[in-house]
Amino acid sequence: MTSKLVKRVQSLRELERAWHAIRKNARDSKSEDVQREVENFAEDASSRIHSISWRLSRGKFKFEQAKGIPIPKVGADGQKSKTKFRPIVLAPLESRIVQRSILESLMSHPAMGDYAVTPYSFGGIRRRNGQELAAVPAAVSAVLKAIEDGARYVASADIRAFFTRISKSTVRDIVSKSVQDDEFMPLFDAAIKVELANLADLRERAALFPIEDIGVAQGNSLSPLLGNILLRDFDSAMNEGDCRCIRYIDDFIILAPTKQAGAARMKKAIKILADLGMELSPEKSSKEPHSIQGSFEFLGIEFSNGFIRPSTKSHQRLMTQINAALQSSLTTFRAHRVGHVFPKPQSLVSALKRIDGIIQGWGKHYRFCNDDTLIQYLDSLVRDCLRTYIGAYSDARERSAESERQFFLGVEKLSSIKREPFLWPNTKS
């Protein structure tokens, strides 16, 4: 008899929810391969989801090998590192759908409640019933509540290479004891196992990827939950007494009534993490607590004695994204030659739509910030960028052949659409 947990994972309802979540996330992906894979799946999503469900129910579903992608880390100077990489694991779409279904099913299991939902952890946690805030806004709200309750000193920290330090077997034992479902565990084990199809191509960088027990895949939707499970006791211990520790995956901030209390709590964090085989990133962690009357940052947010605003890096990245998108479109305008195919994604309409999406996404992410002056300043920078872009577009348009100009707008020509005209029948006898 199939267990309730396994039934839920393989149900059409849960798989469809997982598919819709992945499809939504893919819209923001910078990978053309990811977007293409999602678009192809969407063409016949219903039958493919039915196929996944059928294979799961008969024990025929297999997690295919993933692809290891070493993403260079960006240094403080904004330059990509030539030696430091983030080991991203991209599993095939069907595998990602099942992993997501397992995640949602686990988080809904009564025995996993204490692990999936804790008062001081906010990353990888879905919105709780009756709560208006989740993720970064909820974490920021918790920081402000701690200040309201008497915290006067802060210290922030980042756990170095967090996902690569998580023990699969340790987390697996916790999950197994909690759900007590022998039928579910083999599926869970297969979902968190890392097998790479391009291991040989990665060469010396292969050692960065979590193919052994230590480490979980960055890119697997289950990984944040695995981290939260492992750090459940950390969250509890760090919030005893009059200090608060707000954590978002591998970033956390300690809020204390005194400098001494904050320093003692940081030492406690270092000891607990060391017992888990983890350590703090010196370059991203406070050397000592400092007063909340000065500025401090957490999760890309600057807290500055009354102001809550996106950090300088955050709004610089916004403008970099906007400028890069507009410049890419302009470069295509200037390089286009009559008779060549014009890439529609670089057209004026597509570029402006892309900019609108960037602005809307960024603005909604920081909707809780209260520095109106900064927001208005950024609006003025965007206006300047658009004015420059429209002017350059007009110049490029004037220099182009009239027959090509509508391509620049993003409007297809009837004559460029491939046709398969019928032949008039031969009426001569």
Side-chain angles (χ1 to χ4, degrees), residues 158-259:
D158 173 88
I159 304 173
R160 173 181 280 171
F162 176 58
F163 288 110
T164 67
R165 306 292 181 88
I166 297 172
S167 167
K168 296 185 187 72
S169 58
T170 299
V171 176
R172 193 246 185 228
D173 289 345
I174 295 172
V175 173
S176 181
K177 290 176 183 177
S178 299
V179 302
Q180 296 185 7
D181 188 330
D182 292 338
E183 186 181 359
F184 169 76
M185 291 312 299
L187 183 62
F188 177 79
D189 291 339
I192 65 174
K193 186 177 181 179
V194 178
E195 291 186 349
L196 301 179
N198 63 329
L199 197 59
D201 296 336
L202 292 169
R203 297 180 183 178
E204 69 277 0
R205 291 176 291 187
L208 293 170
F209 290 84
I211 56 178
E212 305 295 341
D213 175 59
I214 301 299
V216 295
Q218 295 185 58
N220 186 331
S221 58
L222 282 161
S223 293
L225 175 62
L226 304 186
N228 286 336
I229 289 173
L230 190 63
L231 292 184
R232 194 273 301 264
D233 291 343
F234 170 88
D235 292 334
S236 178
M238 289 294 292
N239 281 282
E240 294 173 347
D242 55 3
C243 292
R244 289 294 164 263
C245 176
I246 309 303
R247 183 176 63 83
Y248 195 98
I249 310 294
D250 54 351
D251 289 310
F252 64 88
I253 187 169
I254 295 170
L255 298 114
T258 66
K259 186 173 183 178

Side-chain angles (χ1 to χ4, degrees), residues 45 60 85 115 130 199 206 308 314 329 380 396 415:
K60 295 180 180 295
F85 297 87
Y115 294 101
L199 197 59
I308 305 160
S314 296
S329 175
S380 70
S415 58

Side-chain angles (χ1 to χ4, degrees), residues 122-123 133-142 248 298-301 365-366 368:
F122 298 91
L133 301 176
V136 173
V140 171
S141 178
Y248 195 98
F298 182 53
L299 303 178
I301 307 298
H365 181 77
Y366 293 106
F368 53 84

Side-chain angles (χ1 to χ4, degrees), residues 9 12-25 49 93 96-102 104 221:
V9 172
L12 289 174
R13 181 186 175 209
E14 204 63 67
L15 290 168
E16 286 171 351
R17 286 179 59 189
W19 154 241
H20 289 305
I22 289 171
R23 187 180 189 183
K24 181 179 178 182
N25 292 338
I49 289 172
L93 182 55
R96 301 204 303 274
I97 291 173
V98 177
Q99 288 166 347
R100 182 82 189 199
S101 184
I102 292 172
E104 294 300 330
S221 58

